[in-house]
Structures are given as C-alpha cells and as structure tokens.
Amino acid sequence: MILNAPLQVFWCLTDRCNLHCNFCLSESDSGTRMHELSVGQRAVILDELITHRVLKVYLTGGEPLLIPETVDYVERLKEAGVFTVLTTNGVLLDPSVIQDLAGQEIDRIQVSLHGGTLETNDAIMGGPAFERILDALGWIREAGVDLHVKVTLTRENATELPRLIRSLAPFSPALVNVSELVATGRGFENYETLRPSLETLASVRKEIAALRDEGFNVSFKNHSLASAANGRPGTCTVGSGRASSCLILPDGNVTPCTPAHVWGLSNNVLEHGLQGAWHRLPLYREFLAPEKLQGHCKACDVVEECKGGCRAEAYLYTHNVWSEYPGCVRIPHEEKEKTS
C-alpha cells in the first residue's frame, strides 16, 4: 500500500437496525447475524483510528445509534481532531442527542430519507420513519450542524424525487446525495424488482440538473448510466495499492468496500491492528485476474480496463468468482437473462 494507514474509514458499529430498508447493502435488521464486538473491543478499534491519525471517520451501521457509546466515540474522535460523520436513519435522533453532538462539534450528520411521501418512504424503509426523520432534520437545522441527506434511488421513489428534494428546502441541507440502487445485500435480493430502467435514470438525471439550476446542491451517483455511456462496466479496484479508504465491519474485519465481504477473508483489526489490516488489503487482488475470466468477459477487448466489473456482484449472481459480469452492457440481452 502507498499509504501507511487509511485516510478515511467507514466504521460499521453494528449490523442491527431498527428499520428494514428493502435495498439495504448490509441486510441490516433488528436481529444480529454478524458477531458484534464488545464495548472493550470497540474501544481498541477507536484507539487504533486515533493512533494512526485517520483523517475522516464515518460512524455507520446498521444503525449506529443502537450502540450506546456512539456519542462518546464522536467526542473522542473530535478531541483527536478527526473529521467525524454520523450516518443514521434519523429515527433515534432527538433534541438531546443532537445537542450533545453539536456540543462536541461533530462535522456532519447524514440522514437517510427515501420517499417524498410518508407512504412511499415508510414502505421502502420498512417501518414508521418519515415524520420522525423530518423532525430530526428540523432539530439538526436548529442546532447548526452540517446536514447531508442520503437518498437511494429505486423504481419505487424515482417519480417522487423532485418533490422529495424540494421538501428539504426548509432544512437547508448542504448536500442531497442521490445514489442508484446497488445489487448487494437486500439490494441484491430485490434488485430485479427495485432497479430503475435506464430511461428512468436518464429522466432523473435531467430532473436533478433542473433542481441544481434552482439552487439545490444535489449529487447523483449512477453506475448504470455511466456504464452505458462508456460501453463497459466501471473498473473494479478491489485490493488496489492506491486506495485511501476502507471499511471496518461490525466484527472488526477490514475490507476495501462493502461488497468485498462476500469473499469471507479474515483480516481483523483486532488481530492485525489497523495498520496491519490496511496493508493486507492487497490480498483482495486475487479476485482480479482477467486471464481467469469466463464467458463473454474472457475474449472481451476491454477486459484489461474494467477487470471484469464488480467481481463480488458477479459472484453473488453465479457463485463463480470468474463468471462474466451480469451487469455488463456488452453481454447480449438474452445471455444476461440466463445469468440473472
């Protein structure tokens, strides 16, 4: 690795959640499937983040506020000068918690909202959330904390997106971050039902451009449109020595990205330390071997550029790490149906 330690860490404190979003990358719900660390074990990880001078930490999950010590982690990180972000569904935020976070000078709170109406949002998020989230947004605004709103774009909420974003105006979010659904976790289980068409994505892109003209700060991550425009999938960089960020899972395992957990490699920060686990991430390069790819990928003239697309996603679809990438625009339609 070029860097001795990551600059940015996404620390998933738990895989438990009080909601049940139908697109959830980590399949979080009220039950615990992954070993959750003890208070003492999480304290070790916190010390590692501070000792190795990580510049930016996202406290995430699951729902991080289900961990009672989360607010204390914010305090410790801020005392150490770490840029600290809490990513939450917002339901457990109340004026007291927000004032505590503001008092600790948290740098940002990112709240999820996925529908322009109560009915759509709560159907997507799997529980009563819409009104509680709007209350939380108001309290964050009053506390003067930098606010980002996260929206996952699916077939269910695409037509409501302009309404949703305009409804956020009273809360003055610094950014509304719209991301296309990703085929991981429950997002993979429900992908065929939830994924927007290319036509819908193109329409949303135009609507977002119009919203920007109105003064709304909106970002839009859309891998499907980018793949269609480039004529190939995005390049998989798993295990890259040039990485600057990583993910710490609820059991302490360190991966380069969320989908990479499907490989089940053991790389725990409690065993190797943050720096040791960071330097072991190139182990994931074994899953990037274009010469081993099968199907259409094997003879494709751009395979050295894309490396076969997301290898974890290909594995989820076929249980074969070297299978062709099912999301590739170069695979004939009838062939993609066979691999789906």
Side-chain angles (χ1 to χ4, degrees):
M1 305 292 284
I2 293 176
L3 297 172
N4 284 326
L7 301 180
Q8 177 173 266
V9 171
F10 295 84
W11 185 11
C12 301
L13 297 173
T14 178
D15 63 356
R16 290 181 290 127
C17 189
N18 51 325
L19 295 175
H20 195 273
C21 294
N22 58 15
F23 59 81
C24 181
L25 296 178
S26 56
E27 301 177 86
S28 295
D29 56 28
S30 57
T32 302
R33 295 169 307 286
M34 185 182 292
H35 173 63
E36 189 172 287
L37 300 179
S38 68
V39 175
Q41 289 171 319
R42 288 197 301 271
V44 171
I45 293 177
L46 181 65
D47 287 341
E48 286 284 302
L49 294 171
I50 292 170
T51 297
H52 292 291
R53 300 184 179 184
V54 174
L55 298 182
K56 190 173 186 178
V57 172
Y58 286 79
L59 299 173
T60 183
E63 173 48 55
L65 290 176
L66 288 174
I67 299 297
E69 298 78 23
T70 294
V71 177
D72 296 331
Y73 298 159
V74 173
E75 183 176 11
R76 284 283 313 281
L77 290 166
K78 287 307 303 170
E79 286 175 349
V82 180
F83 190 100
T84 306
V85 182
L86 175 70
T87 69
T88 172
N89 60 40
V91 171
L92 299 180
L93 288 172
D94 60 31
S96 176
V97 171
I98 292 169
Q99 285 302 322
D100 284 346
L101 294 169
Q104 293 156 9
E105 298 184 349
I106 190 170
D107 293 283
R108 180 181 304 150
I109 299 176
Q110 178 172 279
V111 179
S112 297
L113 188 66
H114 304 292
T117 63
L118 181 150
E119 292 76 17
T120 298
N121 182 80
D122 291 0
I124 290 171
M125 298 187 78
F130 187 75
E131 293 180 342
R132 299 183 192 182
I133 292 169
L134 294 184
D135 286 341
L137 297 180
W139 296 325
I140 294 169
R141 161 82 164 140
E142 290 172 6
V145 177
D146 184 57
L147 170 65
H148 284 197
V149 177
K150 167 74 173 182
V151 183
T152 297
L153 186 72
T154 72
R155 189 176 299 175
E156 295 173 304
N157 62 12
T159 58
E160 292 185 8
L161 188 65
R163 173 178 179 171
L164 189 163
I165 293 173
R166 290 191 178 97
S167 73
L168 295 173
F171 309 112
S172 303
L175 178 68
V176 181
N177 180 2
V178 181
S179 297
E180 181 187 349
L181 168 75
V182 176
T184 304
R186 271 197 300 277
F188 170 73
E189 295 174 8
N190 299 321
Y191 192 65
E192 296 307 317
T193 301
L194 296 179
R195 66 173 177 175
S197 66
L198 285 176
E199 292 77 12
T200 297
L201 290 169
S203 176
V204 166
R205 183 167 57 185
K206 291 180 180 178
E207 290 171 341
I208 287 177
L211 288 163
R212 288 173 180 153
D213 290 340
E214 294 177 30
F216 293 95
N217 190 11
V218 187
S219 67
F220 183 33
K221 298 177 183 176
N222 53 93
H223 53 272
S224 294
L225 287 178
S227 295
N230 295 332
R232 65 171 181 82
T235 303
C236 185
T237 59
V238 67
S240 170
R242 296 183 176 276
S244 61
S245 67
C246 66
L247 185 77
I248 302 178
L249 296 173
D251 63 353
N253 214 45
V254 179
T255 67
C257 59
T258 300
H261 79 274
V262 302
W263 310 127
L265 292 185
S266 178
N267 187 33
N268 204 291
V269 65
L270 297 175
E271 178 182 358
H272 304 288
L274 179 63
Q275 193 173 65
W278 171 252
H279 283 280
R280 286 168 54 85
L281 287 182
L283 291 172
Y284 284 89
R285 288 179 189 161
E286 69 175 279
F287 303 112
L288 288 186
E291 70 277 5
K292 295 183 180 180
L293 292 172
Q294 301 167 2
H296 283 80
C297 290
K298 184 175 183 179
C300 182
D301 61 342
V302 298
V303 69
E304 289 296 335
E305 299 174 53
C306 74
K307 309 299 183 186
C310 177
R311 289 292 85 210
E313 189 175 329
Y315 178 79
L316 283 171
Y317 273 98
T318 65
H319 303 292
N320 173 8
V321 66
W322 306 119
S323 67
E324 59 190 23
Y325 179 59
C328 183
V329 296
R330 290 171 167 256
I331 300 175
H333 180 68
E334 63 274 11
E335 292 296 324
K336 282 197 281 188
E337 288 182 341
K338 291 177 185 177
T339 60
S340 299

